Amino acid sequence: MNGFSIALRICFLIAMAAILGWYYGSPALAVIITLTCVLGFWAYQLSRVQDWLQDPEQKPPDIYGMWGDLLAQIYLHQRKNKEARLRLQSTVSYLQDSFASMRDGVVMVDQHGAIKWCNAAVESLLGLRYPEDTGQTLTNLVREPEFNEYFLGDQYAQPLEYCIVGDAKRHLQVQITYFGASERLLFVRDFTALVRMEQIRRDFVGNVSHELRTPLTVITGYLGTFLSDTAALPTAYIRALEQMEQQAQRMESLLKDLLWLSRIESEQREDNLDLVNISALLQELRDETATNEPERTIELVLASDHQVSGNYRELHSAVSNLLNNAIKYSSAEDVIKIRWEQRDQQYFLTVQDYGPGIDLIHLPRLTERFYRVDDSRSSATGGTGLGLAIVKHVAAAHGAKLLIESELGKGSSFTLIFPVGE
Ligand code: ADP
């Protein structure tokens, strides 16, 4: 029933009352009595609505007219709300059940960093217990400095990986995301098994490379002796022995690079930090190249004298790999540019060549071990396919990023970007 028809009804009642009152000689009294009756009726209906609202779980009373419509609408809204609430509750309990059964730890904290909920897995990972620790500040309960620094640092783009040394050494990864009103959700994962497997793989590659070196040295030794006096050899053997020596030398450089890579990967960096003078390192490499490759032109721009905290041999091998690639993959008349400079808040070490360049589709995979753009060309240049993998590992070990830019037919540039403070 809408407002207009209600007004119409009241007007009709008043008109009827006025006519009746006029007939009996007192229209005003008749109108007043009618209005009082209408108001009384409304007050009665209102009190029924109020009574029902005290306990809206009950079925609403049968009321005719405007109040009945109002009641029906309230009842409908209320039922819809109840259904939505039940749906939400079942979603929440479904999510809680799935989080609770996860092997990874899940913690929800409010905007002040206090624990709201956590699953059972967190007990063994972070030592938290639910519901006992609800409301406690997370950083008061987890004592690891790395964890607290990460949690309070508010920079969650990258996950935190850290190691706890308890009864056994464990590697944990923590990922944090914001949700709702500045609340945070933490996922904690134990990746100790993965680290162990990676260590086994690294040790295996290192050990195999090491074991293969001795027999290979013997083989190349004998081959060198045979080939030092080719006159004493039957002519049919000379070509075969030369090829054997060439391949043995290739294998030697491969083993050398593999050993170097596994050493860089397993280096305990804190013990081996020096201040490396990059300008001096680049000058040294330029001078070495001038001696070994006198026909090549190297342009060296040293626009910064910043020193990088790290390992000299590793940085030397990374830049040397980049320079060797620039030499290998460009022709003798192409100039090679090396720059060391500061831009904004970072330091850039760039090796640029004007060789054939690399198709963009190869760039994401270029630093993978043994990935080659053109196998025949790489084998001809004597590459091992490990050079850029070494560069990437050295960069990561020094907190630097490797940026590769290239255009087919125009050349390539490889840049190590060191953050300030490195
Ligand atoms: P390799 O020992 O084969 O040179 P790298 O890991 O150093 O191995 O390089 C991987 C591949 O990237 C190379 O095989 C080559 O195809 C490509 N590459 C590296 N540097 C350059 C460059 N400066 N110009 C063109 N291609 C390059």
Side-chain angles (χ1 to χ4, degrees), residues 233-303:
L233 289 172
T235 7
Y237 286 7
I238 297 176
R239 175 101 187 92
L241 286 173
E242 274 172 355
Q243 274 185 359
M244 282 164 79
E245 191 187 37
Q246 211 179 32
Q247 292 304 321
Q249 273 164 3
R250 232 187 115 205
M251 228 161 125
E252 256 185 342
S253 23
L254 194 65
L255 291 182
K256 205 174 103 234
D257 275 2
L258 274 175
L259 270 172
W260 182 228
L261 196 56
S262 73
R263 203 180 135 184
I264 295 170
E265 285 179 317
S266 50
E267 190 85 42
Q268 293 295 318
R269 228 136 289 274
E270 293 81 31
D271 317 332
N272 276 310
L273 289 187
D274 298 320
L275 267 187
V276 181
N277 185 337
I278 298 290
S279 300
L281 185 149
L282 296 179
Q283 274 165 336
E284 190 187 317
L285 275 167
R286 194 257 323 263
D287 294 346
E288 274 173 27
T289 317
T291 317
N292 301 333
E293 311 271 345
E295 73 285 3
R296 300 304 306 237
T297 314
I298 311 259
E299 247 180 58
L300 180 60
V301 178
L302 299 174

Side-chain angles (χ1 to χ4, degrees), residues 325-326 328-329 353 357-358 366 371-374 378 383-388 412 414:
N325 279 352
K328 274 191 302 192
Y329 300 106
D353 67 63
I358 307 160
L366 217 57
Y371 186 82
R372 285 163 171 146
V373 174
D374 178 350
S378 302
T384 59
L386 292 172
L388 290 180
S412 318
F414 293 79

Side-chain angles (χ1 to χ4, degrees), residues 330-341:
S330 65
S331 44
E333 57 276 9
D334 289 331
V335 67
I336 292 167
K337 290 184 182 168
I338 306 178
R339 283 192 307 278
W340 176 231
E341 62 197 335

